Amino acid sequence: MKISIEEIPADEPPEIIIRCHTIDEGIHKIINRIKTLEDMVIGYQGNQIHRVVPKDVYYFEAVDSKVFIYTKSEVYESKQKLYEFEELNNGFYLRTSKSVIMNLKKIKYVSPAFNGRFEACFDNGEKLIISRQYVSELKKRLQI
């Protein structure tokens, strides 16, 4: 694969061009990674495509090979994989189970649950369980 970078004048908007023989899974992965690095994530509701600001996301959840984006009052489906949202890592996101990545800025409080797990309550009242293998990292990140 050849990579070319061209500097352009400051008054021109940046542009990414992908030249390929076929649009395969590898190309889709590259596109999804680029989208993840942007200031927005893409969410789908029916036939509508929405741009969601990452700081508005409460959590990402994988269910039956699909990934969902949860905001305060909306749920969007994503075409990206859950692990790709870990790469958003602006310090706000933490994987809290095999299927969930939470936005730590949206957590109102955490409390101990059964078997070493914790429960997180978001500022919208929604609650999720944090698996015990992720509790130590949560404590470290929340400084508790």
mmCIF file of all heavy atoms in Angstrom, residues 39-44 50-57 60 69-71 76:
data_model
loop_
_atom_site.group_PDB
_atom_site.id
_atom_site.type_symbol
_atom_site.label_atom_id
_atom_site.label_comp_id
_atom_site.label_asym_id
_atom_site.label_seq_id
_atom_site.Cartn_x
_atom_site.Cartn_y
_atom_site.Cartn_z
ATOM 1 N N ASP A 39 -14.457 14.380 15.199
ATOM 2 C CA ASP A 39 -15.156 14.905 16.366
ATOM 3 C C ASP A 39 -16.594 14.396 16.472
ATOM 4 O O ASP A 39 -17.311 14.785 17.375
ATOM 5 C CB ASP A 39 -15.167 16.434 16.331
ATOM 6 C CG ASP A 39 -13.789 17.005 16.557
ATOM 7 O OD1 ASP A 39 -12.920 16.285 17.087
ATOM 8 O OD2 ASP A 39 -13.594 18.180 16.220
ATOM 9 N N MET A 40 -17.020 13.566 15.581
ATOM 10 C CA MET A 40 -18.379 13.032 15.585
ATOM 11 C C MET A 40 -18.340 11.527 15.370
ATOM 12 O O MET A 40 -17.417 11.010 14.771
ATOM 13 C CB MET A 40 -19.215 13.639 14.438
ATOM 14 C CG MET A 40 -19.344 15.118 14.456
ATOM 15 S SD MET A 40 -20.526 15.599 15.702
ATOM 16 C CE MET A 40 -20.403 17.358 15.585
ATOM 17 N N VAL A 41 -19.347 10.842 15.888
ATOM 18 C CA VAL A 41 -19.546 9.439 15.545
ATOM 19 C C VAL A 41 -20.845 9.366 14.759
ATOM 20 O O VAL A 41 -21.729 10.208 14.927
ATOM 21 C CB VAL A 41 -19.579 8.513 16.787
ATOM 22 C CG1 VAL A 41 -18.224 8.479 17.449
ATOM 23 C CG2 VAL A 41 -20.629 8.922 17.767
ATOM 24 N N ILE A 42 -20.949 8.387 13.915
ATOM 25 C CA ILE A 42 -22.124 8.243 13.064
ATOM 26 C C ILE A 42 -23.065 7.222 13.684
ATOM 27 O O ILE A 42 -22.656 6.126 14.038
ATOM 28 C CB ILE A 42 -21.734 7.788 11.637
ATOM 29 C CG1 ILE A 42 -20.734 8.776 11.014
ATOM 30 C CG2 ILE A 42 -22.955 7.620 10.763
ATOM 31 C CD1 ILE A 42 -21.260 10.189 10.863
ATOM 32 N N GLY A 43 -24.332 7.600 13.814
ATOM 33 C CA GLY A 43 -25.360 6.715 14.340
ATOM 34 C C GLY A 43 -26.534 6.654 13.389
ATOM 35 O O GLY A 43 -26.841 7.629 12.703
ATOM 36 N N TYR A 44 -27.190 5.516 13.348
ATOM 37 C CA TYR A 44 -28.314 5.310 12.437
ATOM 38 C C TYR A 44 -29.584 5.044 13.228
ATOM 39 O O TYR A 44 -29.576 4.293 14.201
ATOM 40 C CB TYR A 44 -28.031 4.107 11.528
ATOM 41 C CG TYR A 44 -26.810 4.294 10.657
ATOM 42 C CD1 TYR A 44 -25.536 3.989 11.126
ATOM 43 C CD2 TYR A 44 -26.932 4.786 9.370
ATOM 44 C CE1 TYR A 44 -24.414 4.172 10.340
ATOM 45 C CE2 TYR A 44 -25.813 4.963 8.565
ATOM 46 C CZ TYR A 44 -24.563 4.659 9.054
ATOM 47 O OH TYR A 44 -23.463 4.845 8.268
ATOM 48 N N HIS A 50 -27.265 10.073 11.659
ATOM 49 C CA HIS A 50 -27.049 11.161 12.614
ATOM 50 C C HIS A 50 -25.574 11.284 12.944
ATOM 51 O O HIS A 50 -24.877 10.282 13.056
ATOM 52 C CB HIS A 50 -27.810 10.892 13.924
ATOM 53 C CG HIS A 50 -29.281 10.819 13.757
ATOM 54 N ND1 HIS A 50 -30.100 11.895 13.967
ATOM 55 C CD2 HIS A 50 -30.090 9.796 13.386
ATOM 56 C CE1 HIS A 50 -31.356 11.541 13.748
ATOM 57 N NE2 HIS A 50 -31.372 10.269 13.391
ATOM 58 N N ARG A 51 -25.123 12.517 13.160
ATOM 59 C CA ARG A 51 -23.779 12.774 13.677
ATOM 60 C C ARG A 51 -23.936 13.027 15.169
ATOM 61 O O ARG A 51 -24.690 13.892 15.581
ATOM 62 C CB ARG A 51 -23.172 13.971 12.973
ATOM 63 C CG ARG A 51 -22.949 13.683 11.477
ATOM 64 C CD ARG A 51 -22.333 14.841 10.784
ATOM 65 N NE ARG A 51 -20.948 14.938 11.237
ATOM 66 C CZ ARG A 51 -20.153 15.962 10.962
ATOM 67 N NH1 ARG A 51 -20.611 16.965 10.263
ATOM 68 N NH2 ARG A 51 -18.914 15.985 11.395
ATOM 69 N N VAL A 52 -23.242 12.233 15.961
ATOM 70 C CA VAL A 52 -23.358 12.313 17.417
ATOM 71 C C VAL A 52 -22.020 12.795 17.986
ATOM 72 O O VAL A 52 -20.969 12.263 17.650
ATOM 73 C CB VAL A 52 -23.715 10.930 18.013
ATOM 74 C CG1 VAL A 52 -23.876 11.009 19.517
ATOM 75 C CG2 VAL A 52 -24.978 10.376 17.359
ATOM 76 N N VAL A 53 -22.088 13.810 18.836
ATOM 77 C CA VAL A 53 -20.886 14.331 19.483
ATOM 78 C C VAL A 53 -20.463 13.326 20.558
ATOM 79 O O VAL A 53 -21.271 12.965 21.420
ATOM 80 C CB VAL A 53 -21.171 15.711 20.129
ATOM 81 C CG1 VAL A 53 -19.925 16.249 20.809
ATOM 82 C CG2 VAL A 53 -21.695 16.687 19.091
ATOM 83 N N PRO A 54 -19.216 12.847 20.538
ATOM 84 C CA PRO A 54 -18.793 11.837 21.506
ATOM 85 C C PRO A 54 -19.026 12.217 22.971
ATOM 86 O O PRO A 54 -19.351 11.369 23.778
ATOM 87 C CB PRO A 54 -17.298 11.669 21.215
ATOM 88 C CG PRO A 54 -17.174 12.003 19.769
ATOM 89 C CD PRO A 54 -18.164 13.116 19.554
ATOM 90 N N LYS A 55 -18.910 13.483 23.329
ATOM 91 C CA LYS A 55 -19.117 13.863 24.732
ATOM 92 C C LYS A 55 -20.577 13.728 25.153
ATOM 93 O O LYS A 55 -20.872 13.681 26.340
ATOM 94 C CB LYS A 55 -18.605 15.276 25.006
ATOM 95 C CG LYS A 55 -19.411 16.382 24.370
ATOM 96 C CD LYS A 55 -18.813 17.739 24.738
ATOM 97 C CE LYS A 55 -19.629 18.854 24.148
ATOM 98 N NZ LYS A 55 -20.854 19.119 24.846
ATOM 99 N N ASP A 56 -21.503 13.610 24.189
ATOM 100 C CA ASP A 56 -22.916 13.416 24.500
ATOM 101 C C ASP A 56 -23.285 11.943 24.661
ATOM 102 O O ASP A 56 -24.400 11.621 25.048
ATOM 103 C CB ASP A 56 -23.801 14.030 23.411
ATOM 104 C CG ASP A 56 -23.712 15.549 23.374
ATOM 105 O OD1 ASP A 56 -23.306 16.139 24.396
ATOM 106 O OD2 ASP A 56 -24.037 16.135 22.324
ATOM 107 N N VAL A 57 -22.352 11.057 24.351
ATOM 108 C CA VAL A 57 -22.594 9.617 24.442
ATOM 109 C C VAL A 57 -22.464 9.169 25.891
ATOM 110 O O VAL A 57 -21.486 9.489 26.562
ATOM 111 C CB VAL A 57 -21.614 8.834 23.550
ATOM 112 C CG1 VAL A 57 -21.768 7.333 23.759
ATOM 113 C CG2 VAL A 57 -21.813 9.202 22.089
ATOM 114 N N PHE A 60 -21.534 2.951 24.886
ATOM 115 C CA PHE A 60 -21.619 2.136 23.678
ATOM 116 C C PHE A 60 -21.840 0.713 24.148
ATOM 117 O O PHE A 60 -21.197 0.268 25.101
ATOM 118 C CB PHE A 60 -20.313 2.190 22.881
ATOM 119 C CG PHE A 60 -19.906 3.573 22.461
ATOM 120 C CD1 PHE A 60 -18.984 4.292 23.209
ATOM 121 C CD2 PHE A 60 -20.411 4.146 21.308
ATOM 122 C CE1 PHE A 60 -18.588 5.564 22.827
ATOM 123 C CE2 PHE A 60 -20.020 5.419 20.912
ATOM 124 C CZ PHE A 60 -19.106 6.126 21.677
ATOM 125 N N ILE A 69 -25.273 3.110 20.262
ATOM 126 C CA ILE A 69 -24.768 4.329 20.892
ATOM 127 C C ILE A 69 -25.923 4.906 21.706
ATOM 128 O O ILE A 69 -26.989 5.189 21.165
ATOM 129 C CB ILE A 69 -24.334 5.350 19.823
ATOM 130 C CG1 ILE A 69 -23.283 4.756 18.901
ATOM 131 C CG2 ILE A 69 -23.856 6.636 20.478
ATOM 132 C CD1 ILE A 69 -23.039 5.573 17.630
ATOM 133 N N TYR A 70 -25.704 5.077 23.011
ATOM 134 C CA TYR A 70 -26.745 5.590 23.902
ATOM 135 C C TYR A 70 -26.403 7.010 24.330
ATOM 136 O O TYR A 70 -25.322 7.255 24.871
ATOM 137 C CB TYR A 70 -26.881 4.708 25.146
ATOM 138 C CG TYR A 70 -27.392 3.331 24.837
ATOM 139 C CD1 TYR A 70 -26.537 2.329 24.392
ATOM 140 C CD2 TYR A 70 -28.736 3.024 24.994
ATOM 141 C CE1 TYR A 70 -27.002 1.064 24.100
ATOM 142 C CE2 TYR A 70 -29.213 1.749 24.717
ATOM 143 C CZ TYR A 70 -28.339 0.780 24.262
ATOM 144 O OH TYR A 70 -28.814 -0.476 23.973
ATOM 145 N N THR A 71 -27.327 7.939 24.085
ATOM 146 C CA THR A 71 -27.183 9.303 24.573
ATOM 147 C C THR A 71 -28.228 9.495 25.672
ATOM 148 O O THR A 71 -28.874 8.531 26.083
ATOM 149 C CB THR A 71 -27.378 10.338 23.445
ATOM 150 O OG1 THR A 71 -28.703 10.251 22.942
ATOM 151 C CG2 THR A 71 -26.366 10.128 22.317
ATOM 152 N N TYR A 76 -28.851 4.957 19.009
ATOM 153 C CA TYR A 76 -28.481 4.861 17.600
ATOM 154 C C TYR A 76 -27.748 3.550 17.376
ATOM 155 O O TYR A 76 -27.053 3.063 18.259
ATOM 156 C CB TYR A 76 -27.544 6.009 17.202
ATOM 157 C CG TYR A 76 -28.087 7.372 17.491
ATOM 158 C CD1 TYR A 76 -27.761 8.034 18.675
ATOM 159 C CD2 TYR A 76 -28.924 8.010 16.597
ATOM 160 C CE1 TYR A 76 -28.256 9.297 18.945
ATOM 161 C CE2 TYR A 76 -29.426 9.276 16.858
ATOM 162 C CZ TYR A 76 -29.086 9.913 18.042
ATOM 163 O OH TYR A 76 -29.587 11.156 18.313
#
